[in-house]
Protein backbone atom coordinates (compact mmCIF):
# COMPACT_ATOMS: atom_id res chain seq x y z
CA UNK A 1 0.00 0.00 0.00
CA UNK A 2 1.47 3.38 -1.00
CA UNK A 3 0.20 6.69 0.32
CA UNK A 4 1.39 10.13 -0.71
CA UNK A 5 -0.39 12.49 1.60
CA UNK A 6 0.32 14.43 4.76
CA UNK A 7 -3.22 14.67 6.05
CA UNK A 8 -6.51 12.83 6.00
CA UNK A 9 -5.48 9.19 5.64
CA UNK A 10 -6.08 6.73 8.45
CA UNK A 11 -4.00 3.53 8.16
CA UNK A 12 -3.50 2.32 11.74
CA UNK A 13 -2.68 -1.23 10.59
CA UNK A 14 0.45 0.03 8.82
CA UNK A 15 3.65 -1.11 10.52
CA UNK A 16 6.28 0.49 8.26
CA UNK A 17 6.67 3.98 6.83
CA UNK A 18 9.34 5.13 4.41
CA UNK A 19 9.64 8.90 4.35
CA UNK A 20 11.45 9.95 1.20
CA UNK A 21 10.35 13.56 0.84
CA UNK A 22 12.29 16.01 2.93
CA UNK A 23 10.49 18.72 4.85
CA UNK A 24 11.55 21.30 7.38
CA UNK A 25 7.97 21.55 8.63
CA UNK A 26 7.46 19.84 12.00
CA UNK A 27 3.73 19.64 11.33
CA UNK A 28 4.25 17.74 8.06
CA UNK A 29 6.74 15.34 9.62
CA UNK A 30 4.40 14.67 12.57
CA UNK A 31 1.54 13.99 10.12
CA UNK A 32 3.68 11.55 8.15
CA UNK A 33 4.98 9.70 11.20
CA UNK A 34 1.50 9.65 12.73
CA UNK A 35 0.25 7.40 9.94
CA UNK A 36 2.23 4.45 11.22
CA UNK A 37 2.46 4.98 14.99
CA UNK A 38 -1.28 4.79 15.62
CA UNK A 39 -2.45 1.95 17.83
CA UNK A 40 -4.00 -1.06 16.13
CA UNK A 41 -5.02 -4.45 17.48
CA UNK A 42 -2.13 -6.88 17.16
CA UNK A 43 0.43 -4.20 16.30
CA UNK A 44 3.23 -3.88 18.84
CA UNK A 45 5.62 -1.56 17.04
CA UNK A 46 6.07 0.60 13.99
CA UNK A 47 9.19 1.16 11.92
CA UNK A 48 9.89 4.51 10.28
CA UNK A 49 12.62 4.81 7.68
CA UNK A 50 13.64 8.32 6.65
CA UNK A 51 15.79 8.84 3.59
CA UNK A 52 17.93 11.96 3.51
CA UNK A 53 20.46 13.42 1.10
CA UNK A 54 22.16 16.36 2.80
CA UNK A 55 24.02 16.90 6.05
CA UNK A 56 21.49 19.60 7.02
CA UNK A 57 18.68 17.05 6.73
CA UNK A 58 20.72 14.58 8.78
CA UNK A 59 21.38 17.18 11.48
CA UNK A 60 17.65 17.89 11.75
CA UNK A 61 16.92 14.18 12.06
CA UNK A 62 19.57 13.78 14.76
CA UNK A 63 17.96 16.57 16.79
CA UNK A 64 14.55 14.95 16.35
CA UNK A 65 15.94 11.58 17.46
CA UNK A 66 17.33 13.15 20.63
CA UNK A 67 13.85 14.44 21.50
CA UNK A 68 12.27 11.05 20.79
CA UNK A 69 14.82 9.04 22.78
CA UNK A 70 12.63 9.14 25.88
CA UNK A 71 9.65 7.54 24.12
CA UNK A 72 11.07 5.47 21.26
CA UNK A 73 14.33 3.80 20.35
CA UNK A 74 16.11 5.32 17.36
CA UNK A 75 18.81 3.59 15.35
CA UNK A 76 20.81 4.66 12.33
CA UNK A 77 21.77 2.73 9.22
CA UNK A 78 24.00 4.40 6.68
CA UNK A 79 23.54 3.35 3.09
CA UNK A 80 25.29 4.63 0.03
CA UNK A 81 24.31 4.65 -3.58
Amino acid sequence: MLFRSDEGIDVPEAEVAILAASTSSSRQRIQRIGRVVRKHEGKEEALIYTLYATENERDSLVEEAKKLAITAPVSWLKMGI
Side-chain angles (χ1 to χ4, degrees):
M1 205 179 291
L2 176 65
F3 295 100
R4 298 180 189 161
S5 178
D6 289 330
E7 299 177 25
I9 295 175
D10 188 22
V11 286
E13 67 275 6
E15 295 179 356
V16 176
I18 300 172
L19 307 180
S22 157
T23 181
S24 60
S25 166
S26 295
R27 182 197 60 79
Q28 284 183 326
R29 188 139 170 85
I30 290 166
Q31 287 287 335
R32 293 172 183 174
I33 291 171
R35 301 285 166 258
V36 74
V37 298
R38 289 189 175 117
K39 290 182 181 180
H40 189 266
E41 185 177 329
K43 182 168 84 172
E44 294 184 26
E45 66 179 23
L47 299 174
I48 301 164
Y49 296 93
T50 302
L51 309 178
Y52 65 89
T54 68
E55 287 302 312
N56 286 341
E57 290 172 311
R58 181 191 179 283
D59 293 345
S60 294
L61 292 169
V62 167
E63 288 305 312
E64 177 182 282
K66 288 177 186 176
K67 293 175 187 173
L68 290 174
I70 292 172
T71 47
V74 176
S75 60
W76 296 89
L77 174 64
K78 183 174 183 174
M79 304 202 44
I81 52 172

